[in-house]
Amino acid sequence: MSGMEIERKFLVRGNDYKQQAYASDRIKQGYILSGHGRTVRVRVRGDRGYLTIKGPSQDGGMSRYEFEKEISLDEARHLFELCEPGVIDKTRFLVKSPDGQHVFEVDEFYGDNEGLVMAEVELQSPDEPFEKPSFIGREVTGDRRFYNGHLRKYPFSVWGSTLSE
């Protein structure tokens, strides 16, 4: 997959998303390179590996170029050896919007980011309307603190207590 990724991010209230999820996977990801808004990431999701390259954010953090290629699990494990310090560890739950038109990816983080639960929805255009599930809280699109690459360096456990809903 490659092209422009358009998504909005939200904090999640409660844990109703778990009962509404139709699928979930454990994800571990590391960053081979990160800086100046660009990342090269390796990810293991379930029993599959991926290499992803992302460009700098645009549209207030809503859009960015993304190239993703599935690689073998063995390749992904070897690439983790090249990663910068810090790993993102999370479970991703897939939840359909109330009208069934969109899928919300809800990430429950572990380790130094324990306590953080975020949802994102991918859109076809920045102004595309969508219906939010009841567990969707404050929008954090464009807030760099909530980018996975940032969470790896500056974990939620360090600054999360300063958040107010």
Side-chain angles (χ1 to χ4, degrees), residues 98-163:
D99 62 6
Q101 300 299 305
H102 294 88
V103 173
F104 283 79
E105 297 176 341
V106 181
D107 291 342
E108 180 180 336
F109 291 82
Y110 306 111
D112 289 339
N113 290 300
E114 184 91 28
L116 178 60
V117 183
M118 280 191 305
E120 56 189 50
V121 60
E122 289 199 20
L123 305 170
Q124 298 300 310
S125 68
D127 59 353
E128 178 182 349
F130 59 95
E131 192 172 342
K132 298 176 191 173
S134 60
F135 56 79
I136 295 297
R138 181 171 63 122
E139 184 164 7
V140 294
T141 302
D143 186 336
R144 295 187 187 285
R145 295 177 300 171
F146 295 98
Y147 292 6
N148 284 289
H150 188 272
L151 290 167
R152 177 185 58 81
K153 294 178 188 175
Y154 307 101
F156 185 71
S157 61
V158 173
W159 56 268
S161 62
T162 65
L163 277 183

Side-chain angles (χ1 to χ4, degrees), residues 53-111:
I53 301 168
K54 291 190 175 197
S57 293
Q58 303 170 17
D59 300 325
M62 196 181 312
S63 305
R64 69 192 297 192
Y65 178 81
E66 178 182 75
F67 169 85
E68 185 170 75
K69 173 108 173 112
E70 186 169 347
I71 59 177
S72 74
L73 196 53
D74 190 52
E75 289 169 323
R77 288 184 177 138
H78 281 90
L79 286 173
F80 265 101
E81 295 175 22
L82 301 176
C83 288
E84 298 170 346
V87 173
I88 295 292
D89 184 13
K90 59 189 179 181
T91 295
R92 172 163 290 168
F93 299 86
L94 302 180
V95 179
K96 288 192 178 187
S97 62
D99 62 6
Q101 300 299 305
H102 294 88
V103 173
F104 283 79
E105 297 176 341
V106 181
D107 291 342
E108 180 180 336
F109 291 82
Y110 306 111

